[in-house]
Amino acid sequence: DQQVKQNSPSLSVQEGRISILNCDYTNSMFDYFLWYKKYPAEGPTFLISISSIKDKNEDGRFTVFLNKSAKHLSLHIVPSQPGDSAVYFCAGWRAGSYQLTFGKGTKLSVIP
Amino acid sequence: GAGVSQSPRYKVAKRGQDVALRCDPISGHVSLFWYQQALGQGPEFLTYFQNEAQLDKSGLPSDRFFAERPEGSVSTLKIQRTQQEDSAVYLCASSFGGAGGNTIYFGEGSWLTVV
């Protein structure tokens, strides 16, 4: 039972264009959603989060959108840079819980 | 150190062998987490410590998996009688406060291959 789903294993985008990474969830009890970025042979690093009561959060080039009725969120990166090439994980967190629930990740390749 | 440190970085174990994976969290961090990441999957929660207390071990896949943090700092994840399905990256993470995701810092992981 996958509570967080990232249905696109990979995505290629031209440098300077927008990258859109998608995530769907089934658990309505999540209070926060988070995006993590992971380079090869490194641990995941936190990128941006959004509260379930918000529909948008922006941090520099990164914006996360949440559509609660569709149980869908997306991460927009604009403009995309080669250094953004990594695996991006979407995760859900329920307040009071000790665990994050991750999707399988999407590998983003930004082509110079 | 500046970040979460894990050792060994790479471990090859023969099936049936016991392994021990070490995690040195960021100094002063109260919370410590272990996650398992199989190939092509996202990290999956194993267990959580608040100081030396193991408050959640619901993610440990079997009684062959055991974790401890006896003095509230360094933690060890032990896997007894390893099986091929135990092959994965084991990620340790720590945070100063609770489990709010944006405060969690991950280590580079210990890559376990069981042959």
Side-chain angles (χ1 to χ4, degrees), chain A residues 37-53:
Chain A
K37 176 179 180 178
K38 185 181 183 302
Y39 292 119
E42 294 186 12
T45 55
F46 170 75
L47 191 58
I48 190 169
S49 65
I50 187 168
S51 164
S52 63
I53 63 173

Side-chain angles (χ1 to χ4, degrees), chain A residues 2 34 36 38 40-46 49 89 93 97-105, chain B residues 9 33 35 37 40-43 45 48 55-56 58 91 99-102 104 106-108 111:
Chain A
Q2 254 199 306
L34 307 99
Y36 277 79
K38 185 181 183 302
E42 294 186 12
T45 55
F46 170 75
S49 65
F89 291 99
W93 177 67
S97 165
Y98 302 119
Q99 54 186 278
L100 298 173
T101 303
F102 286 88
K104 291 187 177 182
Chain B
R9 288 295 316 278
F33 310 81
Y35 282 80
Q37 185 178 10
Q41 305 293 316
F45 173 81
Y48 167 74
L55 298 186
D56 187 347
S58 63
L91 294 164
N102 61 331
I104 295 176
F106 283 86
E108 294 177 326
W111 295 60

Side-chain angles (χ1 to χ4, degrees), chain B residues 77-94:
Chain B
L77 176 67
K78 298 179 179 177
I79 309 172
Q80 297 177 321
R81 304 181 304 280
T82 52
Q83 308 285 324
Q84 282 194 315
E85 63 262 28
D86 300 335
S87 296
V89 179
Y90 291 85
L91 294 164
C92 178
S94 71

Side-chain angles (χ1 to χ4, degrees), chain A residues 79-96:
Chain A
S80 301
Q81 299 174 353
D84 297 330
S85 296
V87 177
Y88 290 78
F89 291 99
C90 172
W93 177 67
R94 183 176 174 181

